[in-house]
């Protein structure tokens, strides 16, 4: 069965600092992996996705994630946090079309 | 493209009343998903359709919930009768499932409050 674990329900960083949001997945077959962002009172927006090919995936707003099969991880990073990055972030996995979401990580950015 | 359209954006109703949530997917998409989001349970998939046919409704909490997709451009999620524990944000999402493409596009959600 597929599952997703996001380590840390809340992450706080200072503006300009590195952002690291952790995601580990469990899947018996090669997964497709996604990161979504949700701003307050809005729907989810796709940040980036991994299907096949290059394991380092670049997304919108300067975010990127690296698929590490040996570690079953797909952590999201951004070199320098901006105040506008404050939001909730969801990692998701699928290979059937049905997305399995993690519980979400709220990113707080302090000035 | 206008994106996924949901209506209403906010709904306040009394316990026992029928509630109908509406969704218009992105034109050309062949899969549609209904999700519920709460603080306690996070984001839950309720049901999804492929080519207007329900494929997996295992997430529908109970018989009070029903969903239909009469055509490729419209879907409804109905709760009858509604209960306070149904209060949540309900999202509709659509995708064009072909090959490796599983990317889903979400609507803005309907915030339901049952008093």
């Amino acid at each position: 069965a597929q599952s997703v674990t996001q380590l840390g329900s809340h992450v706080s960083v200072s503006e300009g600092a590195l952002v690291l949001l952790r995601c580990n997945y469990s899947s018996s077959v090669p997964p497709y992996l996604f990161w979504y962002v949700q701003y307050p009172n809005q729907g989810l927006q796709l940040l980036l996705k991994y299907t096949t090919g290059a394991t380092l995936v670049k997304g919108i707003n300067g975010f990127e994630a690296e698929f590490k099969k040996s570690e079953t991880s797909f952590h999201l990073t951004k070199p320098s946090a901006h105040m506008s990055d404050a939001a909730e972030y969801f990692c998701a996995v699928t290979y059937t079309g049905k997305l399995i979401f993690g519980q979400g990580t709220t990113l707080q950015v302090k000035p | 493209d206008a994106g996924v359209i949901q209506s209403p954006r906010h709904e306040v109703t009394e316990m026992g009343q029928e509630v109908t949530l509406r969704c218009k997917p992105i034109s050309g998409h062949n899969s549609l998903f209904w999700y519920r989001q709460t603080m306690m349970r996070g984001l839950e998939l309720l049901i999804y359709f492929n080519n207007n046919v329900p494929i997996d409704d295992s997430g529908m909490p109970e018989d009070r919930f029903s969903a239909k997709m009469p055509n490729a451009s419209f879907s409804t999620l109905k709760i009858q009768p509604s209960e306070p524990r149904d209060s949540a944000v309900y999202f509709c999402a659509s995708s064009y499932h072909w090959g490796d493409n599983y990317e889903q596009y979400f609507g803005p959600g309907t915030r339901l409050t049952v008093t």
Side-chain angles (χ1 to χ4, degrees):
Chain A
Q2 294 179 312
S3 65
V4 176
T5 302
Q6 291 184 237
L7 301 176
S9 58
H10 288 82
V11 170
S12 182
V13 300
S14 297
E15 191 173 20
L18 171 71
V19 175
L20 171 60
L21 304 183
R22 300 177 186 274
C23 173
N24 288 88
Y25 68 90
S26 171
S27 175
S28 58
V29 296
Y32 300 112
L33 295 157
F34 304 82
W35 275 100
Y36 281 84
V37 61
Q38 183 180 27
Y39 298 103
N41 300 315
Q42 294 187 27
L44 279 70
Q45 178 183 1
L46 182 69
L47 268 180
L48 49 81
K49 63 181 179 182
Y50 169 79
T51 54
T52 58
T55 56
L56 182 62
V57 180
K58 295 186 184 299
I60 62 172
N61 301 338
F63 284 93
E64 62 182 35
E66 186 170 10
F67 170 60
K68 292 187 176 181
K69 184 178 178 181
S70 61
E71 299 177 7
T72 62
S73 69
F74 191 57
H75 301 331
L76 182 70
T77 60
K78 182 174 180 177
S80 177
H82 191 273
M83 297 297 292
S84 61
D85 295 327
E88 188 160 18
Y89 293 80
F90 293 91
C91 182
V93 63
T94 187
Y95 67 93
T96 65
K98 178 178 172 179
L99 287 179
I100 307 298
F101 283 91
Q103 284 298 101
T105 298
T106 299
L107 175 65
Q108 179 187 24
V109 182
K110 298 177 291 185
Chain B
D1 200 313
V4 176
I5 298 172
Q6 291 187 246
S7 64
R9 292 294 310 277
H10 301 272
E11 177 80 38
V12 180
T13 191
E14 293 184 346
M15 182 174 62
Q17 296 298 305
E18 177 180 296
V19 176
T20 300
L21 311 181
R22 297 172 176 79
C23 175
K24 177 178 171 56
I26 292 173
S27 177
H29 282 190
N30 58 4
S31 295
L32 184 139
F33 306 80
W34 281 102
Y35 292 89
R36 177 172 68 176
Q37 186 178 38
T38 61
M39 290 292 292
M40 291 297 294
R41 301 176 66 90
L43 200 60
E44 305 173 275
L45 177 66
L46 301 178
I47 185 170
Y48 82 91
F49 297 83
N50 191 49
N51 293 323
N52 311 337
V53 175
I55 302 300
D56 184 346
D57 65 355
S58 60
M60 295 286 264
E62 49 198 275
D63 291 345
R64 297 185 298 107
F65 286 69
S66 63
K68 294 182 179 180
M69 191 165 187
N71 57 60
S73 59
F74 184 67
S75 176
T76 60
L77 178 68
K78 185 177 293 186
I79 308 172
Q80 166 63 21
S82 58
E83 297 182 4
R85 59 193 168 121
D86 302 330
S87 296
V89 181
Y90 291 81
F91 289 104
C92 176
S94 70
S95 72
Y96 180 63
H97 179 199
W98 179 81
D100 290 341
N101 183 43
Y102 292 107
E103 182 175 330
Q104 293 183 21
Y105 294 81
F106 282 73
T110 295
R111 183 174 296 277
L112 174 64
T113 303
V114 184
T115 60

